[in-house]
Amino acid sequence: MPEAPLLADLIVHHRATPGALLPLLHAVQDAFGHIPSEAVPAIAEALNLSRAEVHGVITYYHHFRQWPAGRHVVQVCQAESCQACGSRALTAAAERIFGCALGQTRADGAVTLEAVYCLGLCAQSPAVQVDERLHARVSEAKLARIAQQLGVQEVAA
Amino acid sequence: MSTVQLFVPRDAAALAAGADEVAEALQAACAQRGVTLNLTRNGSRGLLWLEPLVEVVTPHGRIAYGPVQPEDVPALLDDAHLLTGGFMPEGDVSPSPRPSPTRGEGAMHSKPLSPCGRGVGERGQHTSDDMTVVAHPLRHGVTEQMPYLVMQERLTFRRIGVTDPLSLADYEAHDGWAGLRKALTLTSAELLHEVTHSGLRGRGGAAFPAGIKWKTVAHAHAAQKYVVCNADEGDSGTFADRMVMEGDPFMLIEGMAIAALAVGATQGFIYIRSEYPHALAVMNEAIERASAAGFLGENVLGSGRTFHLHTRKAAGAYVCGEETAMLESLEGKRGIVRAKPPLPALSGLFGQPTVINNVLTLAAVPFILARGAQAYRDYGVGRSHGTLPFQLAGNIKHGGLVEKAFGLSLRELIYGFGGGTRSGRPVKAVQVGGPLGAYVPESLWDVPLDYEAYAAHGAVLGHGGIVVHDDTANLAELARYAFEFCAAESCGKCTPCRIGSTRGVEVMQRIERTAPAGAAPNAAQHAQQLTLLRDLCDTMQHGSLCAMGGMTPYPVLSALNHYPQDFGVAAAPSPQPSPTRGEGAQTQRT
């Protein structure tokens, strides 16, 4: 793995922390964009865990990725408050605008479209997060503008 | 012109509405006009439909403008005289501001006595000192006099939106650390007595008395004890924890330090959702500053007492809002619920006695210590003492944060504060207390909001989250969603929740497929599926290990009982017994 020295640094930095696995996995994902499968044996060995245990934690939490995301990550809130303000229609619009089904990464790698359950913007529903930037009261038109600003080209249906 | 003091919030809700762009536009426009600007990034006042809410300091108080967009800035400065709060010497008023396009929001404020109206006596009036006020659709007068704020009883939120969240000097100047200083003069027993006498109960949902929980930890014998703050606020319709962490982080630190003194803990953790990066960043910075200033660490305020505080980033598992699942996660494992006993108070984090409270519970503690237990206890009704920060969300015109003593009604919140739906359509259902809370129909909107009154009607106050749905909502769809959510988020440890949630989705799909009742070939099948649905809910409610499976029947059964037509049940059935708090509901989210 070309990033092995960086991974080793992260392990050294976190291994003595009580309950180190989550902080370490966050650090790895922050550094690499996902948790590469090649990193799992080293993490397991450093924390005296089995690889199965580490794998079990990675797959349990929605936040952790085993594969790289698209260049842009678009998360549309699906929770009740956003539903009350039209998030189901907005999700359908997002799938159309970004040319990508919920939970998928587009073939050209431009966008990953994800469900998220509550961004804490419930009084200004529906809410969307694009690349860690929050947007409140999102309409279909606003979403199309965001796509344009990101330079995401529409794909032919 | 002398320096102008402006406030533009840095709360995530304001940022999502464009607060950073507005701050930049203000700075650029002021630089262009040669005005020296002192711009403070405060927390949010919680009038979220007005975010970004810009405030300017004047001799008459802070004047509010909102919702401000970057393109509004030139006109606000030049025509509305925002930099003086719209106050102009008599006879020195420039041509009347050009009528702004009605952006909906500004035009809402016509009734002076509505909680959302303008400060009384503000618009276009003469003030006592020969000043004229330049009106503007985005101008709301003196912030503190806005009815939405005046009608609240803010104890926990009294500083939020007022101060710079990361300024230790600001915190100190607004009553900060008074509770901790007082706590350092008291014994553990006296501290426990204060918190118990205040009547404070866990604000995360289970409503367990905080003093009793703390006492159990205090009396446990162990070399190491912990205080853990559960900031995994994942319930739709809630954002109060986020507002506290982003808007007044030192208050949470102070509350946790007091808890540590009371029980003898030297280590603390705040478990914060990964969906709240701003809150996490503010808390980290606040902990660093508080430690550097001696409020945390080896020798808290020179007392010889030790309290180290750390944040821990969660990873997007809803069930980790349940206290034992959160402990597993903090220990670096899958966040799977633990069977109780042992109680976390005796065997919690890393097997040690642990106080676990939610953000709002711990945030209420500094006030209790600073002003005295009785001052807090005097708010509320029955056995629900103090205040609850209610969060108005969903399809509502004036969504935001309303801190009030227990005992007001849902109707006052939805219509008095919230102004009805944003869509303008009739309110159909209101989900109170998060995704595991009941849908409350109009017949119950006058029930006082207190823990016991709601429990008596098969509902819960939970975390104070209120999600309004208009008449386009389909309650059967929402019931199916409740099962879908449970299936996606179940930790999988117990069968009723793990399998019941998936079966619940299937049953709901069959009910929706066979509805409406009366379609002759399906009627029997439809009725059978409804019976199955009730059986399934009964099993989940009474057989689940924690509130995730134990309370999913609340939204489902309340929807079925109060909105049978959405399930294809033509005639209103005889009232079914509401779910009561069974065993399954004993381990709610902290």
Side-chain angles (χ1 to χ4, degrees):
Chain A
M1 197 167 66
E3 309 92 343
L6 176 52
L7 177 66
D9 280 354
L10 296 176
I11 288 174
V12 167
H13 186 74
H14 285 95
R15 67 187 307 165
T17 308
L21 185 53
L22 258 71
L24 178 54
L25 291 177
H26 274 300
V28 170
Q29 179 155 308
D30 289 348
F32 302 119
H34 70 293
I35 297 166
S37 56
E38 310 87 70
V40 171
I43 292 169
E45 193 185 330
L47 300 186
N48 195 22
L49 298 167
S50 73
R51 275 180 280 171
E53 282 171 302
V54 175
H55 177 79
V57 169
I58 294 168
T59 52
Y60 183 80
Y61 293 98
H62 301 307
H63 181 82
F64 295 129
R65 302 175 192 285
Q66 294 178 270
W67 294 279
R71 289 189 291 283
H72 299 290
V73 178
V74 178
Q75 297 178 305
V76 186
C77 182
Q78 305 292 309
E80 288 89 343
S81 178
C82 285
Q83 281 189 42
C85 295
S87 67
R88 282 176 188 260
L90 186 68
T91 304
E95 292 184 323
R96 203 168 55 244
I97 290 166
F98 292 102
C100 180
L102 205 59
Q104 305 285 316
T105 298
R106 215 161 84 163
D108 65 359
V111 178
T112 296
L113 191 60
E114 291 181 343
V116 65
Y117 297 94
C118 202
L119 295 164
L121 303 175
C122 318
Q124 304 139 293
S125 297
V128 169
Q129 182 163 230
V130 182
D131 297 337
E132 296 180 1
R133 227 198 110 143
L134 295 166
H135 299 270
R137 287 188 177 224
V138 181
S139 62
E140 188 177 333
K142 193 166 172 181
L143 205 57
R145 275 202 303 281
I146 291 170
Q148 210 170 23
Q149 283 159 9
L150 293 177
V152 174
Q153 305 298 318
E154 284 196 36
V155 286
Chain B
M1 183 184 277
S2 57
T3 306
V4 177
Q5 172 69 51
L6 289 186
F7 290 84
V8 179
R10 54 174 294 170
D11 179 276
L15 296 179
D20 276 347
E21 291 75 9
V22 170
E24 276 167 34
L26 283 165
Q27 271 165 330
C30 287
Q32 209 176 32
R33 289 162 178 75
V35 176
T36 321
L37 201 58
N38 191 355
L39 182 69
T40 299
R41 302 304 299 271
N42 54 336
S44 172
R45 298 266 194 172
L47 287 70
L48 295 176
W49 77 101
L50 292 179
E51 289 292 1
L53 186 82
V54 175
E55 290 177 89
V56 57
V57 175
T58 77
H60 304 274
R62 278 159 70 163
I63 306 296
Y65 292 84
V68 177
Q69 292 299 302
E71 58 269 23
D72 297 327
V73 167
L76 282 173
L77 261 46
D78 298 334
D79 302 338
H81 299 278
L82 177 142
L83 296 177
T84 59
F87 293 105
M88 296 295 293
E90 195 94 53
D92 192 22
V93 180
S94 55
S96 63
R98 63 182 83 111
S100 298
T102 305
R103 273 218 315 250
E105 307 296 347
M108 269 192 266
H109 310 284
S110 49
K111 289 182 197 160
L113 289 177
S114 136
C116 309
R118 281 166 202 288
V120 178
E122 266 293 330
R123 285 201 70 172
Q125 302 235 340
H126 298 262
T127 60
S128 54
D129 47 359
D130 292 332
M131 301 285 273
T132 306
V133 173
V134 183
H136 189 277
L138 301 186
R139 187 182 186 277
H140 306 287
V142 178
T143 319
E144 306 277 358
Q145 292 172 8
M146 291 174 73
Y148 199 88
L149 282 173
V150 169
M151 290 172 66
Q152 298 196 28
E153 292 159 298
R154 288 196 163 190
L155 307 184
T156 300
F157 275 73
R158 66 199 187 281
R159 260 184 308 261
I160 298 181
V162 176
T163 56
D164 175 349
L166 284 168
S167 163
L168 280 162
D170 229 5
Y171 187 65
E172 186 105 46
H174 288 80
D175 210 19
W177 309 118
L180 179 60
R181 292 205 161 95
K182 171 83 186 197
L184 285 166
T185 68
L186 301 178
T187 63
S188 167
E190 287 166 331
L191 265 171
L192 294 171
H193 178 263
E194 278 296 288
V195 174
T196 307
H197 182 61
S198 74
L200 179 66
R201 293 162 71 176
R203 297 290 188 249
F208 190 80
I212 294 176
K213 190 185 270 187
W214 290 19
K215 204 179 214 169
T216 309
V217 179
H219 292 169
H221 294 285
Q224 179 66 58
K225 296 177 187 176
Y226 295 98
V227 175
V228 174
C229 173
N230 186 345
D232 193 50
E233 174 188 69
D235 291 353
S236 177
T238 57
F239 44 82
D241 290 3
R242 183 182 62 64
M243 287 184 67
V244 167
M245 290 188 283
E246 293 177 8
D248 202 4
F250 296 126
M251 174 171 58
L252 179 57
I253 292 171
E254 185 179 354
M256 292 185 74
I258 293 167
L261 289 174
V263 304
T266 55
Q267 295 276 344
F269 287 93
I270 311 174
Y271 184 84
I272 303 177
R273 307 183 73 203
S274 56
E275 292 87 343
Y276 284 178
H278 296 94
L280 182 65
V282 175
M283 281 313 314
N284 281 334
E285 179 67 28
I287 288 172
E288 207 165 289
R289 292 187 188 194
S291 300
F295 296 102
L296 290 171
E298 289 295 339
N299 187 12
V300 173
L301 284 175
S303 65
R305 307 290 294 271
T306 298
F307 185 55
H308 295 283
L309 186 56
H310 320 269
T311 59
R312 192 53 72 81
K313 186 176 173 182
Y318 175 78
V319 76
C320 289
E322 196 281 336
E323 59 182 9
T324 62
M326 180 189 62
L327 292 175
E328 293 285 303
S329 186
L330 276 171
E331 292 179 6
K333 297 178 239 169
R334 291 157 67 97
I336 290 174
V337 172
R338 294 177 185 172
K340 290 194 269 192
L343 294 171
L346 298 172
S347 178
L349 186 60
F350 303 114
Q352 303 303 309
T354 304
V355 166
I356 304 172
N357 280 128
N358 144 290
V359 173
L360 295 178
T361 318
L362 290 161
V365 171
F367 177 92
I368 292 167
L369 268 292
R371 305 280 180 89
Q374 192 62 40
Y376 193 77
R377 189 184 180 84
D378 286 345
Y379 288 89
V381 289
R383 292 200 289 125
S384 300
H385 297 285
T387 58
L388 187 62
F390 294 98
Q391 296 130 88
L392 298 185
N395 192 336
I396 189 142
K397 199 185 274 181
H398 300 136
L401 192 289
V402 178
E403 182 175 352
K404 281 290 271 184
F406 291 92
L408 81 164
S409 73
L410 202 50
R411 197 181 297 278
E412 288 172 73
L413 277 175
I414 312 169
Y415 292 106
F417 284 93
T421 62
R422 200 198 299 167
S423 63
R425 303 180 66 93
V427 179
K428 177 170 179 179
V430 185
Q431 190 176 27
V432 179
L436 307 179
Y439 286 98
V440 179
E442 181 160 14
S443 58
L444 298 177
W445 292 350
D446 296 306
V447 171
L449 287 153
D450 84 67
Y451 293 121
E452 278 69 36
Y454 260 60
H457 288 94
V460 288
L461 286 192
H463 192 326
I466 286 163
V467 176
V468 176
H469 293 263
D470 73 11
D471 63 349
T472 61
N474 180 326
L475 273 291
E477 240 175 60
L478 288 165
R480 170 163 50 81
Y481 173 79
F483 281 127
E484 284 169 357
F485 184 68
C486 183
E489 297 293 336
S490 172
C491 83
K493 182 158 179 164
C494 73
T495 318
C497 177
R498 181 180 67 244
I499 297 180
S501 53
T502 299
R503 295 294 167 259
V505 175
E506 295 165 359
V507 172
M508 278 311 305
Q509 285 169 341
R510 285 197 292 268
I511 288 172
E512 290 174 87
R513 211 163 46 228
T514 53
N522 291 332
Q525 200 188 352
H526 187 251
Q528 187 188 36
Q529 294 303 316
L530 287 170
T531 307
L532 195 57
L533 180 67
R534 289 192 185 276
D535 277 358
L536 182 63
C537 284
D538 187 61
T539 303
M540 288 180 72
Q541 193 191 334
H542 295 104
S544 296
L545 195 54
C546 85
M548 179 89 222
M551 288 181 65
T552 295
Y554 276 61
V556 174
L557 289 179
S558 59
L560 175 59
N561 290 339
H562 300 301
Y563 305 90
Q565 65 282 5
D566 287 3
F567 291 73
V569 179
S574 56
Q576 295 287 338
S578 299
T580 50
R581 297 164 72 112
E583 287 305 309
Q586 294 305 307
T587 45
Q588 296 181 2
R589 297 164 64 83
T590 52

